[in-house]
Amino acid sequence: MQSHISKSYLLIDTVVKIWKVLSLTYSKIGNDAQIYDIQNKIHGTKQGEMTISQFYSELYGLWQEFDYYQDFQANCTGDAVKFRRMIEKE
């Protein structure tokens, strides 16, 4: 664990409690704020002085991060409903 992160957990008395707090803090579940932030970065990213390659790499990295946090799991019968709920949530 990096030192700037570990400072926040120095007063927790057991490893089990530390792992529980860490899993809640860094899990992918309920990361609506991260998804919102990444979407804003994607929409706000402009090429500006970047080359096409740099611009693409920047967007591609953001898209990968967005996909990581996105919790949409498609299945045949409920795809349309799930997708609509995901879009409404955004």
Side-chain angles (χ1 to χ4, degrees):
M1 185 182 300
Q2 296 176 355
S3 62
H4 70 279
I5 294 173
S6 65
K7 291 178 185 178
S8 302
Y9 303 98
L10 288 176
L11 299 177
I12 299 176
D13 59 349
T14 68
V15 173
V16 173
K17 290 179 185 176
I18 291 172
W19 279 112
K20 187 173 183 173
V21 171
L22 286 170
S23 69
L24 291 173
T25 303
Y26 294 103
S27 77
K28 294 183 348 178
I29 299 170
N31 285 325
D32 295 338
Q34 285 90 342
I35 291 170
Y36 178 77
D37 185 50
I38 295 165
Q39 285 178 321
N40 282 340
K41 287 178 183 176
I42 290 170
H43 294 295
T45 301
K46 306 289 183 230
Q47 183 177 354
E49 298 294 320
M50 290 188 275
T51 64
I52 294 291
S53 178
Q54 291 169 329
F55 181 58
Y56 174 79
S57 294
E58 179 71 22
L59 282 177
Y60 188 74
L62 289 169
W63 291 328
Q64 284 184 320
E65 192 175 355
F66 178 78
D67 286 343
Y68 175 78
Y69 286 112
Q70 192 59 261
D71 59 356
F72 180 73
Q73 297 295 321
N75 62 33
C76 295
T77 59
D79 287 347
V81 174
K82 283 184 177 184
F83 185 74
R84 179 177 287 144
R85 285 184 189 150
M86 183 184 72
I87 297 301
E88 288 172 355
K89 189 168 123 178
E90 292 175 5

